[in-house]
Amino acid sequence: MQNTGPNRLGVVYLRKTSRLLSGHLWVFSNEIESPLKGYRPGSIVEIRDRKENFLGIGYINPHSLIALRVLTRRKEDINSRFLEKRIKDALSYREKVFTVTSQLKDLDSLRLIYSESDLLPGLIVDKYSDWLVIQSLTAGMDNLLDKVVDILDSLLKPSTIFLKNDSPMRLLEGLQLKCEFLKGKEEPLPVIREGEILLKVDPIRGQKTGAFLDQRENRLSLSRLIKGGRGLDLFCYSGAWGLQLAKNGAHVVMIDSSETALSLARENAMMNSLLERVSFLKADVFDFLSENRKEEYDFIILDPPAFVKSRSKIKEAIKGYRFINSACMKLLKRGGILATSSCSHHISREEFLEILRQSARDTGRHVRIVEIRGQARDHPVLLQVPETEYLKCVILEVF
């Protein structure tokens, strides 16, 4: 049933409502009673159960496994006023959880909008200095994007707005991949401050939206533990982890398989006058750890990409996580520190801790937890949507 007017929506009936009634924002195609044919991807619909009870308003995509995403549980128009309220709520949350003395628009870098956690499914907005980098991951958000961009531009007045729609998640929605400037131009690239470190961010060629803001608080926490010594930054990307420690007097070997990443890390080291404390190695981390190494290190940072793209790959991913964590534990001196992470949301915190227990058993060493951490506060977890929690970071002492 198509939209029939500005305030009259097509109605979708559900055969299963338990997920929605528990507070989740997703409805899968097999939970829908109504025929999905005839709906334009991304169109706004009203959601009801078989007894005609109103359950919410969301957008639909008949081509996606997640066929419905809820925008509101009230009867209200999804218009610019609605979107502006949602965006302002997201900004207000960040002003609350970051104790700041300046206005939000003057903050250096943070995630402004995190999809379902900010009740704007499919929308990611990251702020890097005076750049905004936007990702739209769903057909429904694509349809709302012009309004979203206008609101963000009006509220924050950035110099540059870059649309980075290159995520494979768009392919699951039947959407094209594309990147473009909506405002401003490429040069100069943004430079952000993290603690006492300056970092150049490359939203155009870089991974994700250009940087991994979700690990910011974890990097700063580790830097308070490491004062000198020699260690490894594995999967180093732009060097954000290792440079924090180099600033504290440590020597860090940064390893990544991407020459583009190493070039950015080298540039960041130079910008912070830390080249003498950092060395670089282009190598596959698995190959590097597979070699029979004699050298021992005071600390190792292990921040790999997500190994699990689907539940069918969990066993394979667990094997990979166990291997690299075991190898790192073997390379540490007695009392050495391992900061290890998983950003695979298919692996729970409990499962990741069990992987680390198995890795400790593989090495025959004692391992104790210094700290268990997660994603930064600007990547909040919506309790009723467990998929919004993905990052696990554990700081360990190996002895």
Side-chain angles (χ1 to χ4, degrees):
M1 185 182 300
Q2 299 286 358
N3 293 3
T4 55
N7 296 305
R8 297 185 64 189
L9 304 177
V11 178
V12 174
Y13 292 92
L14 305 189
R15 65 162 61 97
K16 297 180 181 179
T17 60
S18 57
R19 184 195 309 273
L20 208 61
L21 294 177
S22 72
H24 210 293
L25 302 182
W26 295 353
V27 179
F28 289 92
S29 56
N30 63 358
E31 297 173 320
I32 297 175
E33 179 82 11
S34 307
L36 291 175
K37 291 182 179 180
Y39 287 100
R40 181 173 58 88
S43 57
I44 305 296
V45 296
E46 188 174 301
I47 307 165
R48 299 182 193 173
D49 65 15
R50 288 169 164 174
K51 296 181 179 180
E52 294 283 353
N53 294 308
F54 173 82
L55 299 177
I57 293 172
Y59 56 71
I60 191 167
N61 187 345
H63 307 310
S64 175
L65 178 63
I66 306 173
L68 272 172
R69 298 178 193 251
V70 178
L71 290 165
T72 179
R73 298 180 188 275
R74 300 172 53 191
K75 292 188 176 183
E76 55 185 325
D77 292 336
I78 309 302
N79 52 24
S80 293
R81 181 180 299 178
F82 171 88
L83 293 169
E84 183 174 356
K85 174 66 165 56
R86 281 281 195 267
I87 291 170
K88 285 183 174 179
D89 286 348
L91 303 186
S92 295
Y93 162 78
R94 283 147 182 87
E95 289 180 329
K96 182 188 302 181
V97 300
F98 291 97
T99 306
V100 296
T101 56
S102 62
Q103 292 187 6
L104 191 64
K105 67 181 181 180
D106 298 322
L107 285 180
D108 190 62
S109 61
L110 73 165
R111 174 151 293 183
L112 296 178
I113 298 173
Y114 176 38
S115 198
E116 279 79 4
S117 289
D118 288 303
L119 306 183
L120 286 167
L123 179 65
I124 301 291
V125 182
D126 284 342
K127 178 182 186 295
Y128 300 114
S129 186
D130 58 353
W131 280 51
L132 293 184
V133 182
I134 298 175
Q135 286 187 322
S136 171
L137 304 175
T138 60
M141 192 51 64
D142 264 19
N143 290 346
L144 300 171
L145 197 58
D146 286 346
K147 293 183 177 67
V148 167
V149 171
D150 287 344
I151 293 164
L152 288 167
D153 193 22
S154 175
L155 291 175
L156 298 171
K157 298 179 172 52
S159 68
T160 304
I161 301 177
F162 183 61
L163 182 66
K164 190 165 188 181
N165 279 346
D166 61 352
S167 170
M169 291 179 64
R170 287 179 58 85
L171 300 177
L172 300 177
E173 291 270 317
L175 301 173
Q176 292 183 340
L177 305 184
K178 62 177 181 178
C179 298
E180 61 179 318
F181 284 93
L182 304 179
K183 180 182 181 181
K185 56 185 180 180
E186 177 176 346
E187 296 295 341
L189 290 173
V191 174
I192 64 174
R193 178 175 292 276
E194 188 172 287
E196 297 182 9
I197 295 295
L198 295 174
L199 296 168
K200 177 177 279 191
V201 177
D202 189 347
I204 303 160
R205 291 161 289 272
Q207 299 173 27
K208 299 294 184 181
T209 63
F212 292 89
L213 298 174
D214 52 0
Q215 289 274 29
R216 175 184 55 244
E217 294 166 21
N218 302 332
R219 289 189 286 261
L220 294 174
S221 183
L222 178 66
S223 72
R224 291 189 282 270
L225 290 174
I226 306 297
K227 308 297 179 184
R230 179 177 173 83
L232 303 174
D233 183 356
L234 305 178
F235 305 99
C236 71
Y237 185 43
S238 66
W241 282 95
L243 290 176
Q244 293 288 349
L245 308 188
K247 188 74 173 179
N248 289 349
H251 182 83
V252 186
V253 182
M254 295 189 177
I255 301 176
D256 203 288
S257 61
S258 166
E259 185 58 49
T260 300
L262 289 175
S263 295
L264 184 56
R266 191 177 291 108
E267 189 173 351
N268 282 330
M270 185 181 302
M271 184 166 50
N272 288 280
S273 301
L274 291 172
L275 274 177
E276 73 282 359
R277 294 183 187 165
V278 182
S279 54
F280 304 90
L281 176 63
K282 183 178 184 295
D284 179 274
V285 170
F286 279 85
D287 292 342
F288 175 85
L289 293 174
S290 296
E291 296 177 11
N292 187 14
R293 298 189 170 275
K294 305 257 185 208
E295 187 172 5
E296 292 184 324
Y297 298 93
D298 298 290
F299 60 86
I300 297 176
I301 301 151
L302 183 56
D303 186 14
F307 290 165
V308 190
K309 301 299 184 183
S310 66
R311 290 193 179 277
S312 63
K313 301 292 184 181
I314 287 180
K315 286 186 178 180
E316 181 181 333
I318 288 174
K319 184 178 178 181
Y321 280 121
R322 184 170 170 177
F323 167 76
I324 58 176
N325 280 282
S326 298
C328 287
M329 289 178 186
K330 291 175 184 176
L331 289 174
L332 285 166
K333 296 178 182 177
R334 179 175 173 81
I337 296 293
L338 173 62
T340 180
S341 298
S342 167
C343 60
S344 301
H345 78 82
H346 289 294
I347 299 224
S348 68
R349 178 176 296 198
E350 292 72 22
E351 288 169 327
F352 189 52
L353 289 173
E354 181 58 29
I355 290 169
L356 298 178
R357 289 188 194 99
Q358 296 294 330
S359 296
R361 189 177 73 176
D362 293 341
T363 63
R365 302 187 68 177
H366 294 293
V367 178
R368 59 185 161 209
I369 294 173
V370 179
E371 197 171 3
I372 301 177
R373 304 184 59 86
Q375 58 222 52
R377 287 171 289 172
D378 53 353
H379 294 63
V381 175
L382 189 63
L383 193 60
Q384 301 97 319
V385 184
E387 292 84 356
T388 58
E389 182 176 20
Y390 63 93
L391 182 61
K392 288 76 58 180
C393 178
V394 185
I395 301 176
L396 303 166
E397 184 195 33
V398 179
F399 61 102

